[in-house]
Amino acid sequence: QVQLVEAGGGLVQPGGSLRLSCAAIRGWFTINSMGWYRQVPGKERELVASITSGGNTNYGAFVNGRFTISRGNAKDTADLQMNSLEPEDTAVYYCNAKTLTQEFWGQGMQVTVSS
């Protein structure tokens, strides 16, 4: 199993910034990519951003240059810098890690953008 430890969620005002961090405790697994997804009640979980072990990134269309995903200083970590946050970004954010054959999820963190 791969355990994902998330940090950084919370409440922020519109236009503000948050940084989400995820660390994978992977045992014998090799992680090919890590990323962040989000979900609001009644909607499908959607991709926010992902990054491969080679550094290739992918973003949801709604990001519009506001967010940046990067590998952390430690191996098997992924940070998501979110700027210019909007109330529509309010959701539960989940860390995700993919191996060659399996997919793992963190427990999720609430991000609320509100004045």
Side-chain angles (χ1 to χ4, degrees):
Q1 290 291 323
V2 173
Q3 182 182 356
L4 300 176
V5 181
E6 302 162 329
L11 173 66
V12 64
Q13 292 187 341
S17 299
L18 274 178
R19 188 175 185 88
L20 307 184
S21 298
C22 179
I25 302 170
R26 62 178 178 87
W28 292 104
F29 289 89
T30 298
I31 293 175
N32 292 336
S33 69
M34 294 184 69
W36 289 92
Y37 288 70
R38 70 184 191 184
Q39 189 170 24
V40 297
K43 290 191 175 181
E44 297 283 328
R45 192 172 295 188
E46 62 180 351
L47 172 71
V48 179
S50 65
I51 185 166
T52 68
S53 57
N56 294 319
T57 58
N58 189 30
Y59 293 93
F62 60 87
V63 170
N64 289 326
R66 299 178 297 135
F67 302 170
T68 303
I69 191 168
S70 61
R71 305 302 294 264
N73 291 330
K75 191 178 179 182
D76 295 327
T77 60
D79 297 334
L80 181 68
Q81 178 66 41
M82 302 190 294
N83 299 326
S84 302
L85 284 161
E86 304 166 352
E88 293 74 21
D89 295 314
T90 296
V92 177
Y93 284 69
Y94 296 89
C95 182
N96 172 274
K98 293 183 174 64
T99 68
L100 191 61
T101 57
Q102 293 180 278
E103 185 173 40
F104 300 90
W105 294 95
Q107 291 188 333
M109 297 187 297
Q110 179 68 44
V111 171
T112 301
V113 185
S114 175
S115 56

